[in-house]
Amino acid sequence: MARVSLHTGTVRRLRDGMAKGVLSFPLTSFHDDGSLDPEGFRAHVAAQLATAPGALFPACGTGEFFSLDEDEYRQVVAIAVEEAGGRVPVVAGTGYGWAQAVRFARIAEEAGADALLVLPHYLTAAPQDGLVAQLEQIAARIRLPLIAYQRGQVAYTAQSLRRIAAIPNVIGLKDGHSDLDCLQRLTLAAPDGFLFFNGASTAEIQARAYATVGVPAYSSAVHAFAPEIADAFFTALRKEDAATIETLLRDFYVPLVELRDRVPGYAVSLVKAAARLRGRPVGPVRAPLTDPSAADLADLKTLLTTGLDLVGASL
C-alpha cells in the first residue's frame, strides 16, 4: 500500500541517515546551578555531529525535554539546527497535551527543525480514538512532519496505525514498548514508505530482534557519551558480525542495563554522568532526576573503561 506524503524530502533524508549511522539524542547541558548552558550544549552537539550520526534529535527524552521551559527549548533547538547546518536532519521533541505540544512545535518550526518527535502525552490513559486525535490536532496546526512515539501509556493498535499513517504530516513511529508481536503487526499494517524506529531503552540490546520485524534503525543513548562503542556496535550489526555484537552486549551493554535499572531515571542520569567522565560539558540532570551515587558512579567508570577498551578507545 503506497501513501501520499507532503514530506518526501525529509523522509528520504531520514531513511538515508538511518542506513548510515545511529540516531543521536544529545544531552541538554546545564550549569551546576541548574541553569541552561548554551555553549556547553553547542560543544556537545558539535562533538556528536563529528561522529556522523544518521540524524540529530535534540530536546527529546534523553535531552530532558520535560525539564525545559519554552525559551530554553528555543535555544536548544536553534543551536542544534545551527550546528547541523543541513548535514543531517534535526528532529526536535515535543509533547504534553496537544495544545502545549503545538506551542513547542511552533518554536521548533521557527528555529528551523526538520521534523518533530511527538513524545507521549502527560499522565492520563486514553482510548485509541484519543491517541489518534492527539496527532490529528497537532498535525492540523503544524507544517512539520511528525514521528509518533509509543511508550508508557501510548500504544497503537494496527487499526490506529493505519489511521495515523493516513495523516499526511505523520511520517513514522518510534517504539519504546519492545513488544515484538505487536510491533510486527504495526509494520505489516503500515503503508510503504512509513518509517519505524527502535526507541527501546539501551536500544542495542534488542537491535537484532527489532531488525527481524523490519525495524533496523535505532536511537543510541550510548552515542551521547561513547560514540566509539555505539559506532562499533552499529558497524558489527550491519556486517552481521555476531562475535563482536555478542562481546559488546555481554561485556558492556548488558552490565550497563543492569546498572541503569538500579535507580529510576538512570536511563538519563547515567548517560550524563558518563559524558561528564569523558570531559563533556553537559552538567548535572534536573529534578525530578538525580545524579548517580558515588558507588554507582565508580561502577559506571569501570564499565565505561571496559567498553572503550573493547573498541580500542580510552577514557
Side-chain angles (χ1 to χ4, degrees):
M1 174 175 57
R3 73 191 298 261
V4 177
S5 175
L6 302 177
H7 305 285
T8 54
T10 300
V11 170
R12 176 182 49 75
R13 292 181 68 210
L14 280 167
R15 190 179 300 282
D16 289 348
M18 288 153 52
K20 295 175 183 176
V22 299
L23 307 176
S24 169
F25 283 66
L27 301 156
T28 299
S29 299
F30 300 121
H31 293 293
D32 288 342
D33 66 0
S35 61
L36 183 69
D37 178 6
E39 292 313 307
F41 179 68
R42 186 180 297 278
H44 174 57
V45 169
Q48 289 283 283
L49 288 166
T51 64
L56 199 65
F57 286 69
C60 293
T62 305
E64 297 179 78
F65 166 77
F66 49 84
S67 293
L68 301 176
D69 67 27
E70 292 181 20
D71 182 61
E72 291 168 335
Y73 176 84
R74 179 179 290 103
Q75 293 182 67
V76 165
V77 177
I79 289 169
V81 170
E82 290 166 10
E83 289 299 313
R87 288 176 289 168
V88 298
V90 176
V91 183
T94 191
Y96 306 121
W98 66 259
Q100 298 102 314
V102 167
R103 286 207 305 271
F104 280 96
R106 286 175 175 160
I107 292 169
E109 193 169 47
E110 291 167 3
D114 296 293
L116 297 161
L117 177 65
V118 182
L119 303 171
H121 65 270
Y122 172 69
L123 189 61
T124 188
Q128 292 294 308
D129 284 348
L131 298 181
V132 174
Q134 166 87 340
L135 289 175
E136 289 175 336
Q137 293 287 354
I138 298 170
R141 293 163 173 82
I142 294 296
R143 292 189 298 272
L144 289 179
L146 308 176
I147 298 168
Y149 190 2
Q150 64 167 16
R151 193 185 189 98
Q153 71 271 31
V154 176
Y156 298 100
T157 63
Q159 181 180 13
S160 294
L161 188 282
R162 294 186 188 96
R163 292 173 64 191
I164 67 172
I167 303 170
N169 283 34
V170 177
I171 62 172
L173 176 76
K174 182 181 180 186
D175 174 73
H177 284 298
S178 303
D179 183 334
L180 296 182
D181 181 302
C182 290
L183 185 58
Q184 181 70 91
R185 295 168 192 264
L186 297 183
T187 61
L188 292 173
D192 294 341
F194 196 75
L195 302 176
F196 283 92
F197 307 83
N198 169 0
S201 296
T202 317
E204 287 90 345
I205 290 285
Q206 299 182 71
R208 287 190 293 186
Y210 267 80
T212 64
V213 295
V215 186
Y218 61 91
S219 56
S220 175
V222 170
H223 189 271
F225 63 86
E228 305 96 326
I229 300 173
D231 290 345
F233 186 91
F234 181 87
T235 299
L237 194 65
R238 291 299 180 266
K239 291 182 176 179
E240 299 183 352
D241 179 357
T244 298
I245 291 169
E246 288 162 16
T247 295
L248 288 170
L249 288 174
R250 180 178 57 250
D251 296 339
F252 176 73
Y253 283 101
V254 169
L256 179 64
V257 168
E258 291 171 350
L259 181 56
R260 181 199 73 197
D261 289 347
R262 289 181 187 177
V263 177
Y266 266 18
V268 176
S269 301
L270 283 180
V271 174
K272 266 201 160 174
R276 292 195 300 272
L277 285 172
R278 304 203 71 196
R280 308 293 191 259
V282 297
V285 293
R286 277 182 173 174
L289 302 179
T290 58
D291 288 311
S293 66
D296 290 343
L297 189 60
D299 288 345
L300 176 62
K301 185 174 183 179
T302 298
L303 177 57
L304 179 55
T305 300
T306 297
L308 290 168
D309 285 344
L310 289 172
V311 297
S314 61
L315 191 62

